[in-house]
Structure formats: C-alpha cells, structure tokens
Amino acid sequence: MSTSSTSSADLRDGMKRPIEAGWVVHTVETIDSTNTFAGRLPAWSAVRADTQSGGRGRIVERRWISDKGGLWLSAVLPCPGPRDRWSILPLAAGWAVASALKEVGRIEPRLRWPNDIMVGNRKLAGLLVERFTDDTAVVGVGLNIFNHPEQAEPSLHGHTVRLADLAPSVYTVDEVAHLILHSLRRMHTLLLGPGFKMIANDLNRTWGKPRPVEITLTGQTRPLEGLFQGIDELGRLRLAIGSDDFRTYDASQVTLLRELA
Ligand code: BTN
C-alpha cells in the first residue's frame, strides 16, 4: 500500500484512498514530517509514512526518531468556532489514542500530561497537536510498534516500549492506524456534544492519585515542583504546591512536565 515516492505532488496525484470510514488517508514511504504535510490538507485527511526524516516532537530541539516499523500518522480534524473551544483537543486526542490501544489487547496504557501514552514508566506513543489553520488541527501520532527507537538513539534505552512487545497478537501498522483514526473521529463527535465532561472525568480517573512532578513554564528555566492533580473543567493542568497553594496552567504555558515518581 505504500509507494516509493515522497513528493507532495505525488501524494496529491494518486496515493490517497478512502480507508477508514470518513477519512481519506495518504500513505508514503518517507516524508520529512507527516504533521507538516498534513498542515496543507483539508479536514478528515490523514497521512501515514513508513519513515520520517524530520519527525518533530513536543520538545522543539529534539528530533522524533521515526524508523520503519513504527506508526507515524497525522490526522486533520475540523475545529470550527472560537479557538478556546478546542483547547481540550490535545488532551482528548491522547485519550482517543489510548482508548484505541486498549482495543489492541492486554494493554493498560496510561497518559502522562499532556498526551504521552505510557505503559508503566516507558513511553509507547507521543502526540504533537498543531494548528496550521484557524479551522483545523493536526493530530500527529508517533507510536512504537515494531521499530527499535533505542537503536537510533541509545539514550532512549529503558525509556520506551513497543506495541509488538505488549500485544504480540499481530496487528499490522495499518490496522493500528485504522483503530486510531476511528477513535479520533469518535472523540471529535463527543467533543462537539456534551462529551467534554466525560473525557475530562475519564482522564482524571486515568491519572489516578496526585503524582509528584516538576513542570517548566514557558520562558522560565527553573522548574516548579508540586503534585499534579489532573485537569480542571477548562482542561487546565492543576498543580498543588504545598498544602495551600493550588495553581492552574493552560497547556501553552507548560513546556515540559517530568514525573518525579
Ligand atoms: C512527543 O512526544 O514529543 C510528540 C511526538 C509526535 C511524533 C509524531 S510522528 C507523526 C507526527 N509527525 C511529526 O513530525 N510528529 C508527529
């Protein structure tokens, strides 16, 4: 299903096909970043690449290793109306991907704020949600399936996990992509209705008891320590510092969260 071509002209000319209900999916062997490419596509398009040469993560300085065998997928979702209305989207997208992965079987993924998908203390998937236009958002998903990220980047050793090691019952990369696209569509429908509360409650349940973390705020170098207490009704991170100092932060205010336990 993939092709050897990488150019955007080729992508537009013939490699798209309706795949999962309601999506048009482009597939390529290699591309710089599926997110960058998806930024030029209309809503309900998605791009999947076998490899990325310039995969991007939430931490700007760090390249996202995107070797063959992993899922590198970007999906374009419509976001009509005021921007604030969609501020929960990055969190809800993590929820949708985690929900899809539960279907793959025998996995109990958890979320690390804002949307890392973890199994225990190892990272299974990361999401990068970007807005290139006023009325769409690109949800980029990087998921380790059969790839070995630590071979390309030894410092990742012990910090990542692959789906193939957790759910050996053979799902292809393509099948996992379908499950995720289906789940993203469902999440979007929920957000258009009264689903925000349900997703926020479910996220807070998943996060469980308060966890010690340090967060780095935009523009600051010294991290702040506290107890991560989930999100509030607007989707903002809640942090308790000591017993009487409770603070909330919008996702855009936090560049990094590190779990301390
Ligand atoms: C992170 O955890 O830092 C987010 C990583 C997101 C990686 C995915 S791979 C598909 C999409 N294309 C990109 O360039 N990045 C995202």
Side-chain angles (χ1 to χ4, degrees):
M1 85 167 207
S2 54
T3 80
S4 58
S5 179
T6 60
S7 82
S8 42
D10 283 345
L11 272 168
R12 277 195 293 273
D13 287 347
M15 285 180 265
K16 53 184 177 182
R17 62 185 181 117
I19 182 175
E20 172 63 43
W23 289 97
V24 172
V25 181
H26 305 257
T27 58
V28 269
E29 269 186 12
T30 187
I31 202 167
D32 55 348
S33 157
T34 54
N35 260 32
T36 306
F37 188 80
R40 303 194 288 271
L41 297 177
W44 303 120
S45 306
V47 192
R48 182 172 95 62
D50 290 342
T51 64
Q52 296 182 113
S53 54
R56 295 183 285 109
R58 282 189 76 238
I59 300 178
V60 183
E61 316 81 58
R62 234 181 264 166
R63 181 170 75 95
W64 181 263
I65 312 272
S66 315
D67 291 348
K68 206 169 165 61
L71 173 66
W72 324 121
L73 174 75
S74 298
V76 189
L77 293 173
C79 299
R83 252 181 198 240
D84 282 3
R85 180 166 179 221
W86 297 95
S87 55
I88 186 81
L89 187 72
L91 300 171
W95 174 86
V97 173
S99 307
L101 293 178
K102 282 183 195 159
E103 285 180 45
V104 175
R106 280 195 286 154
I107 314 172
E108 221 18 85
R110 71 176 180 93
L111 284 161
R112 179 174 65 190
W113 190 94
N115 49 25
D116 286 341
I117 316 269
M118 310 289 291
V119 173
N121 284 328
R122 291 178 180 232
K123 185 156 163 172
L124 176 61
L127 274 75
L128 178 65
V129 179
E130 297 184 288
R131 303 277 310 245
F132 295 95
T133 71
D134 284 340
D135 52 4
T136 59
V138 172
V139 175
V141 182
L143 167 67
N144 299 316
I145 303 185
F146 302 106
N147 56 313
H148 291 275
E150 72 290 350
Q151 282 176 4
E153 180 49 67
S155 68
L156 293 177
H157 197 80
H159 296 289
T160 57
V161 66
R162 309 175 321 151
L163 197 57
D165 298 328
L166 301 166
S169 55
V170 253
Y171 273 84
T172 63
V173 175
D174 225 11
E175 284 164 341
V176 180
H178 294 196
L179 286 173
I180 289 176
L181 290 175
H182 181 76
S183 190
L184 285 173
R185 185 134 196 151
R186 177 172 164 259
M187 173 274 292
H188 188 269
T189 308
L190 284 168
L191 285 188
L192 284 177
F196 171 89
K197 224 183 168 97
M198 190 276 264
I199 294 176
N201 287 342
D202 205 37
L203 282 168
N204 278 333
R205 244 194 324 272
T206 313
W207 279 319
K209 62 178 171 40
R211 181 185 283 270
V213 295
E214 65 176 29
I215 64 173
T216 306
L217 297 175
T218 312
Q220 297 192 8
T221 46
R222 233 179 107 194
L224 199 59
E225 269 190 39
L227 280 184
F228 171 73
Q229 306 212 310
I231 52 170
D232 69 7
E233 67 292 345
L234 295 175
R236 294 174 305 196
L237 180 155
R238 292 188 304 158
L239 190 75
I241 300 174
S243 55
D244 56 358
D245 185 359
F246 296 92
R247 305 183 188 184
T248 53
Y249 296 100
D250 189 80
S252 64
Q253 295 175 277
V254 182
T255 47
L256 187 69
L257 175 144
R258 206 161 70 82
E259 293 177 341
L260 300 175

